[in-house]
Amino acid sequence: MSSFHRGRLIAVEGIDGCGKTTQAKMLSKALGALLTFEPGATALGKEIRGLLLDVSLPHPVARAEALLMAADRAQHVDEVVRPALEDGKWVVTDRYSGSTLAYQGAGRQLGVAALRQIVEWAADDLAPDLSILLDVPVPLARRRLASSAPDRLERLQDDFHERVREGFLSLAAEKDWVVVDGEGDTPQVHDEIMRAVERRLGLPGSRRFPSEGG
């Protein structure tokens, strides 16, 4: 497949409460891109998501949790992401491989290096063209989530989420991700993300993003 006609894959990553879901929706709309998410974007993935996050179901051990995440991604890539890219569409995904490395590798302390091969295999070596990390301090993220019903991972203690945040920051430095301060107001964060996308990838079709000052 010619890379000239291939769409682009953008992953929006970050700890729970960072604002990534809102920003992924805004970004996909601005780009005219397909919006998807992990875990749970496919029929099989929806069942896997329940096993992973539903507090009423038996808790998977950490290794099983990582493998379930990988299974969701394998289905997601084959059923949703790769077909869209091959059709020339841009895709914005709310979480991708980086989340497994940060949550299960760093947060669950399974080891990022130990999981990397599994993660790459599950994704069939399909890496994002750009990963964007929305970074916020854990206390702020926890406050943002205070009014919602927490899932299994969101219920874990602050030290887990601190490890996840540090895992994301390490990945961002290693892989040259775009790191965006998620503490700003929603439009400001969106503007920064759009400028980063245009700088790194350009924009699809005839879309143009106005720079500061017009």
Side-chain angles (χ1 to χ4, degrees), residues 73-95:
R73 183 162 305 112
Q75 192 75 17
H76 186 216
V77 166
D78 273 24
E79 191 173 324
V80 178
V81 179
R82 192 181 297 279
L85 295 175
E86 290 179 348
D87 198 34
K89 297 175 184 176
W90 285 45
V91 178
V92 174
T93 182
D94 177 354
R95 296 204 182 286

Side-chain angles (χ1 to χ4, degrees), residues 1 7 11-13 17 20 25 32 34 62 71 78 105-106 120-121 142 145 150-151 159 169 194 198 200 202-203:
M1 178 181 61
V12 183
E13 303 276 20
K20 62 178 179 48
K25 290 177 180 177
L34 172 68
D78 273 24
E120 291 174 355
W121 178 78
R142 304 296 271 174
L145 293 171
D151 63 35
D159 58 347
L169 289 169
M194 285 297 296
E198 186 169 22
R200 293 287 190 95
L203 296 178

Side-chain angles (χ1 to χ4, degrees), residues 21-45:
T21 298
T22 296
Q23 293 299 331
K25 290 177 180 177
M26 294 175 69
L27 177 61
S28 66
K29 183 177 180 179
L31 296 176
L34 172 68
L35 175 65
T36 188
F37 65 97
E38 293 186 356
T42 65
L44 178 63

Side-chain angles (χ1 to χ4, degrees), residues 65-191:
E65 183 180 276
L67 292 170
L68 286 168
M69 290 290 187
D72 173 82
R73 183 162 305 112
Q75 192 75 17
H76 186 216
V77 166
D78 273 24
E79 191 173 324
V80 178
V81 179
R82 192 181 297 279
L85 295 175
E86 290 179 348
D87 198 34
K89 297 175 184 176
W90 285 45
V91 178
V92 174
T93 182
D94 177 354
R95 296 204 182 286
Y96 197 63
S97 296
S99 281
T100 304
L101 297 176
Y103 273 81
Q104 283 70 49
R108 292 296 197 188
Q109 299 179 297
L110 295 177
V112 171
L115 281 180
R116 195 181 299 275
Q117 186 173 359
I118 293 172
V119 164
E120 291 174 355
W121 178 78
D124 197 21
D125 292 323
L126 181 60
D129 296 284
L130 176 63
S131 292
I132 299 168
L133 173 61
L134 291 186
D135 182 49
V136 299
V138 169
L140 173 59
R142 304 296 271 174
R143 288 196 299 273
R144 288 177 174 178
L145 293 171
S147 62
S148 62
D151 63 35
R152 181 178 290 150
L153 292 178
E154 291 169 350
R155 288 175 178 235
L156 296 176
Q157 298 299 311
D158 285 2
D159 58 347
F160 170 82
H161 295 282
E162 291 286 1
R163 291 194 300 271
V164 173
R165 184 191 181 201
E166 290 304 315
F168 272 127
L169 289 169
S170 294
L171 287 168
E174 174 191 350
K175 297 293 187 179
D176 194 28
W177 292 4
V178 168
V179 180
V180 175
D181 183 354
E183 293 190 69
D185 63 42
T186 299
Q188 288 177 330
V189 174
H190 172 68
D191 287 354

